[in-house]
Every structure is written in C-alpha cells, then in structure tokens.
Amino acid sequence: MQIKTAEFVMSNSDVAKCPKSMLPEYAFIGRSNVGKSSLINMLTNRKSLAKTSGKPGKTQLINHFLINKNWHLVDLPGYGYARVSKSTKKVFQKFITEYFSKREQLVTAFVLVDIRHEPQPIDLEFMQWLGENGIPFSIIFTKADKLKPKAIENHIEAYQNILLETWEDMPNYFVTSSSKEIGKDDVLNYIDELNENMQLSSN
Ligand SMILES: Nc1nc2c(ncn2[C@@H]2O[C@H](COP(=O)(O)OP(=O)(O)OP(=O)(O)O)[C@@H](O)[C@H]2O)c(=O)[nH]1
Ligand SMILES: [Mg+2]
C-alpha cells in the first residue's frame, strides 16, 4: 500500500470523543519508549507526524491520524511508565482500556515490544487482557537495528515459547526498525489486506 496522505485529526483522553466516522482503525500500543510514535512516522513517511522523544511518556493522549482519507491510525500513550508497585494492572490507564473495549471501529491492535528485551510481564499481561476481551492483535518487534540477525531470531523464539504456554498459536508478528525502515511494507500490506477484507464483507 502507498501512503498518499496522512493527516492529524485529533487528540483526546475520552473514547467517547474520538472521531465518529466508522472508518477502519488500527491502534499502536506498548510500553513507553518502545517506539510507537516513531513507527507511525515511518509507516506514513513523515518525520514528525506523531511526536517522539527519548524520554518515556511523550504521548499522553489518544491521537487519531487519517490515512489516505479512508482509515485511521491511532497513536496511544505507553503503559508501564508509572513505577510498577504491587500490581502491574493499574498502570493500564483507564482511558486506554476503555479505548480498546469500546472502540467499535478498531480492526486490530498492534502491540509493540522492544526486540532487545526478554518477554516482560506487563506486555504479556496486556496481550492476555486483549485476548480475554476478544480484541485481535499482532505483535510488532521494534528497534531491530539494535540486534544482529541471530539475536533477533533467538529473541523471537523466546517470545514464542512464553506465548505458547498460554496461547494456542503464536500471534501474527512483524520485525521492524523505524530508524532503518525495516518491516514497513509488511505492516502496511497487512493493514491493506484487512481493509480490503472488510470492504468485501460489507459489500
Ligand atoms: N534505534 C532505534 N531507536 C528507535 C526506534 N524507534 C524508536 N526509537 C527511539 O526510541 C525512543 C522512543 O521513541 P517513541 O517513538 O517516542 O516511543 P513511544 O513508544 O511513542 O513512547 P511514548 O510516547 O513515550 O510512550 C526515541 O528516542 C526514538 O528515537 C528504532 O527503530 N530504532
Ligand atoms: Mg509516543
């Protein structure tokens, strides 16, 4: 898929105020600093459509972007920035969980995880939560430029092993780097395919 236009639509912290249009929507979620906003910029060929920062906690609101005038990309704040105390559950801010449970337009979530790290409980917990709530998701491994191919393979395998303890299948996944433009076409083609399937089923 070619991205012809990418426009910022609105930011807010209330799912009820998100765009009313029924355009298909794709949301990017993951821990703070994992590279959600950078990935959106890579996918849309824009350096600063979504605001990025080296400091965690840059994105604080639900941000809608209109792509090719016919679907929405959503940049979300990271979870897990607040220091994790007794329960990690409470760091999934309420408006994030509300967004996922109420937003009918959402086709699929992309859960971003930094390819360099061991599987983190908070990410696994969030995927579990999505599963329990019937929300489809794919995994996007980020920052692949930071590891050698062999290490990438090993880290994916470690993830696979942990996920297969609770999931029947490994969720769909993508390996990406926003700084080296890796994985861009894979993610865009996947979105394109889902958009087309939805058109077929609504015709
Ligand atoms: N090397 C490398 N650095 C990256 C990549 N993607 C993002 N970064 C860096 O990681 C930092 C965080 O990127 P953001 O895109 O702001 O992360 P975010 O997930 O949107 O963060 P919050 O909005 O704070 O939750 C920035 O310093 C980016 O330059 C990547 O693919 N490779
Ligand atoms: Mg961000």
Side-chain angles (χ1 to χ4, degrees), residues 58 105 140 145 168:
K58 179 68 183 174
Q105 293 88 332
I140 290 189
D145 56 285
E168 246 171 65

Side-chain angles (χ1 to χ4, degrees), residues 3-9 36-52 65-69 73 178-179 181 184 188:
I3 303 281
K4 295 189 194 102
T5 59
E7 303 154 61
F8 170 74
V9 182
K36 300 174 292 295
S37 301
S38 304
L39 188 87
I40 287 177
N41 291 336
M42 168 183 70
L43 294 175
T44 55
N45 307 318
R46 302 286 203 86
K47 276 207 183 67
S48 49
L49 183 66
K51 293 193 184 81
T52 66
F65 301 96
L66 177 65
I67 312 299
N68 290 351
K69 316 250 182 227
L73 266 188
S178 299
S179 46
E181 288 219 350
K184 180 174 170 175
L188 287 178

Side-chain angles (χ1 to χ4, degrees), residues 28-42 50-61 63 75-79 81 112 114 116 141-146 176-182:
F28 293 79
I29 183 77
R31 295 204 299 158
S32 271
N33 222 37
V34 68
K36 300 174 292 295
S37 301
S38 304
L39 188 87
I40 287 177
N41 291 336
M42 168 183 70
K51 293 193 184 81
T52 66
S53 162
K55 270 196 271 165
K58 179 68 183 174
T59 311
Q60 290 292 339
L61 296 164
N63 300 286
D75 190 18
L76 291 166
Y79 50 65
Y81 177 53
L112 276 63
D114 188 323
R116 294 172 295 176
F141 293 103
T142 64
K143 309 193 186 184
D145 56 285
K146 299 266 197 186
T176 69
S177 161
S178 299
S179 46
K180 293 266 160 71
E181 288 219 350
I182 297 169

